[in-house]
Amino acid sequence: MNEVVDSETTPLKGYQGATLPNHVLVRAALHVEEALKSTPSSPSTVRFFKHPKLSHGDEVLNYVRLLTYRFTSNYFSFLASSSITAQLLLTFIQPPPWCGDDCSNFLDSSCYPSFPSWMLISWKTSQLIEKITLITILLELFLRTVYLTEPPKYFDASSLFRSDPSSPSRLPVSVKNSIYVVTTLFLFSFAFFPSATSTLPPIKPFLRLTLFVIASDNTIRELSLIRSLLPEVMRILMLEFLLLSIYAWFGTVIFTNQSEEGITSFSDFPSAMWSLWVLLTTANYPNIMMPAYSQNRAAFLYFSSFILVAYYFMMNLLLAAVYSDYDKFMKAKRERVDQNQKANLEEAFSLLDVNNEDEITKDTVSSLFDFLNEHCPDVGYIDTVRANLLFAVLDSSGDNLVDMGEFLHFCQVLSLEFSSAESYRGWFELNFHSRWEQVHDIVETRKFALLVDWVLVLNAVVIAFQSQHELTGDRESGQETSAEVWSWECYETIFTVLYVIEMILRVLSSGWKRYWEQNRNKFDFVVTMITVGVSVYVYYPNLENDHRWIRYVMMFRLLRLLRLVVALEQFQVIGATLTEVLPNAARMLLVLFCTFYLFSVIGVLLFGGIINSDPESVYSGRLKNTEFADSNFWANNFNDHCSAFVTLFELLVVNNWTVTCDGFSAATGSKVTRLFFVFFHLIGVVVINNLVISFVVEAFMTEYSAAGSRGKRRSKTTDRGVTVSSQLATFDATSITGTKSGVQGTYYARVGNRGVGSRRKSSFLMNIFARGKADPPANKGGLFELKEEDVEA
């Protein structure tokens, strides 16, 4: 895209009858691209148009800007993004600020537990890397200003960064650009003028995080989601705080200072509030109850009522509120995506329909395909065969014309990938057809699948017998004789040969292309080849001729038993949910990473070096005889950023978090230290963890409902002769919807990986091939049931 285009009317290569002006086709192609990205209907990408009235100097300037844009987009955008990430990661390998210029004396000492100092780089090397990355960022920023300066007329340029239009509360572009530029300039000042900035607070790590977040649309979108959840979360937390206050008040009255309970947990109102907050996380139950419960069984009513109301009811109410707001957020975003997509397609159709006939011809659509190839590479290349098939599917009425209703399916149809049945015929089938039929008839039978499953079960039994001493804990008597080792190796060799034979038969039967398309076959192939490779390496005489490697191979081979689990429909839903959730969870993990980074930087600044066993340190004396020291929690500290991340992860899990918190409180000698851990618990556990749960529940419900519809309709043939089964549509390419495509033979159509879950592809294909002329787009929520990541540019 982003070409310099002549506005004159010229026929397109390979097509006849294309009489539309080229600049109209370019704008229509750009609107289609925006529809695929589901961005607003006014395209926001940079456009360079040559116009007859444009002066020679302006024309040259446009060419310069175009070349600058291409160079920046192709090279410097990636370098700048990598430099921003390097700036952030540089914090982890820089010496922590608390130990001065020479941290090796501290970090290599056993008194200051931390990651080894060899993982850190010197300040000189750190400054060099910092300068190189900042120069790269500033150079990319300068190049962008070259082609985004005030342009001459007929030159159309947009802002430097395009925010996600599906986000309801995204940052304005001007604010986002300003923060980006100011943050970069501050980092530049810190790197190149250290003496002038030495008196400023240590804000450099926070600036790096700001730069990383502001340059990531994914992170901004998730933060916008969290911000939309905060009002409801705050209301429930206020009720929770009120409930804690009431119970703390009652506790200080009920458990007097003469009782053990009153002395240890309810000596005053702040202590009672802290004890009940810890109880709310279930980290001190039933320990907190036992002193009072041992003296009076009625104390159970106080603690049990608090747990039932504050924990089981209020915290689950908080989860329900987060899930409800998350669901509303996603539905609203899908509606906006759908509206943006429809607006772009309607605008593209109005541009192509120059005669206002409410329909466009095949030549016009073919010209649009040509311009998509030339100006919108993100769409994917459309060759002649695919163009003919796409038009035949798009023209559901079969009259070689496309009206507005049919054109609104353009994005759905464009997601289809076609392949001929002939391309799936393997070498063995083409050259030894009669033998192939025999092998195919054997492999495709149910008996063959059962035979392989029984071999897997038998292999598991053999492995269980071989590992019986380790499984029962009787390791001393588990020494095997050479004869026993040889017999076990023979068994394993037999199983390896059987697996290789099974793999070869499946490849010969299906052909490599069809075989490799199935994830289960990929898993079997990788496991089998690794098993063969390691077995050959161990059996071949060399220095690594160790029998333990055979054990490792056997344990790895047990992974093939997962195929038995996958065969069950109930587990397929779980597997499909994991397949859908894991790639999309990267954005959640990114937000969690940013949260960890923020608190690790604050933790290193506040608590760096205070956890130590140095006899000369005042902090180590405070930690003596504490539960922190007795539990050997010395490694849980903020002496360096890597240790800080591990400590924060332990706090995220919640178990024994009070031991770490009390250790830092004892070392600092102040209970105010607890606020750091409370704030992290609120953000990391209460907000982000509940958001992750909502995300997983929503994905599971979607996949579960799709699995139910799939179970009712395993395979179906439309009234136009298209057979849809699982994730594949099979049809005769000669005439798909009544439209003559000019393509011969049987073809397969499948949905691209972008945007549609594996279990929704069957219904999506059915909606495409079974729709009528007047049917509206069947997808709900935009581009083929778009999920969050599909809104990205």
Side-chain angles (χ1 to χ4, degrees), residues 408-648:
L408 290 179
H409 293 86
F410 195 92
C411 292
Q412 292 178 312
V413 173
L414 204 60
S415 70
L416 296 178
E417 298 176 355
F418 301 100
S419 54
S420 63
E422 189 67 22
S423 64
Y424 282 90
R425 299 183 65 186
W427 169 84
F428 187 67
E429 180 182 359
L430 293 173
N431 295 276
F432 305 96
H433 188 75
S434 59
R435 295 291 184 185
W436 171 83
E437 287 182 339
Q438 296 175 359
V439 173
H440 184 73
D441 292 340
I442 294 174
V443 173
E444 296 300 321
T445 59
R446 179 60 179 166
K447 293 181 180 180
F448 183 82
L450 289 175
L451 177 62
V452 174
D453 292 342
W454 277 111
V455 170
L456 284 171
V457 174
L458 183 60
N459 191 188
V461 173
V462 171
I463 293 175
F465 271 109
Q466 187 177 5
S467 306
Q468 59 179 320
H469 298 295
E470 288 83 355
L471 294 175
T472 58
D474 188 15
R475 298 179 180 272
E476 295 182 358
S477 60
Q479 300 297 326
E480 298 175 340
T481 64
S482 57
E484 290 176 333
V485 172
W486 181 84
S487 62
W488 291 125
E489 291 179 353
C490 288
Y491 286 130
E492 288 307 315
T493 303
I494 293 173
F495 283 115
T496 300
V497 171
L498 290 176
Y499 292 142
V500 172
I501 293 174
E502 180 233 353
M503 181 185 68
I504 293 175
L505 289 176
R506 291 191 181 277
V507 172
L508 293 177
S509 172
S510 303
W512 176 255
K513 184 176 181 180
R514 191 189 304 275
Y515 175 85
W516 194 250
E517 283 183 349
Q518 298 185 14
N519 292 328
R520 188 173 71 173
N521 289 338
K522 291 179 183 178
F523 176 79
D524 289 346
F525 179 85
V526 171
V527 172
T528 301
M529 294 307 297
I530 291 178
T531 304
V532 171
V534 175
S535 298
V536 170
Y537 180 74
V538 172
Y539 291 145
Y540 187 80
N542 56 70
L543 296 178
E544 295 294 337
N545 191 9
D546 193 340
H547 176 65
R548 289 177 299 177
W549 284 100
I550 304 296
R551 291 290 178 87
Y552 302 152
V553 173
M554 288 189 302
M555 299 306 298
F556 188 73
R557 182 176 289 163
L558 285 177
L559 294 175
R560 287 198 53 156
L561 290 172
L562 292 175
R563 62 180 292 171
L564 301 179
V565 178
V566 174
L568 301 176
E569 180 70 22
Q570 294 82 355
F571 288 98
Q572 288 180 12
V573 176
I574 299 175
T577 303
L578 287 175
T579 304
E580 295 298 318
V581 167
L582 290 180
N584 305 334
R587 298 183 313 281
M588 296 290 182
L589 293 178
L590 193 60
V591 174
L592 189 62
F593 172 81
C594 292
T595 304
F596 272 39
Y597 179 90
L598 176 64
F599 277 89
S600 69
V601 170
I602 297 174
V604 171
L605 291 176
L606 295 178
F607 311 124
I610 69 170
I611 300 298
N612 64 82
S613 57
D614 188 353
E616 299 180 359
S617 173
V618 64
Y619 300 113
S620 62
R622 296 172 180 173
L623 288 172
K624 289 183 178 179
N625 302 322
T626 62
E627 187 179 0
F628 183 91
D630 296 339
S631 302
N632 196 25
F633 271 35
W634 298 98
N636 294 339
N637 57 64
F638 290 89
N639 293 344
D640 60 280
H641 290 281
C642 293
S643 298
F645 256 65
V646 176
T647 303
L648 291 172

Side-chain angles (χ1 to χ4, degrees), residues 106 122 151 171 184 237 308 353 443 449 454 468 555 609 676 686 724 774:
F106 292 97
S122 64
L171 280 175
T184 304
L237 287 180
L308 289 174
D353 184 21
V443 173
W454 277 111
Q468 59 179 320
M555 299 306 298
F676 173 86
V686 175
V724 178

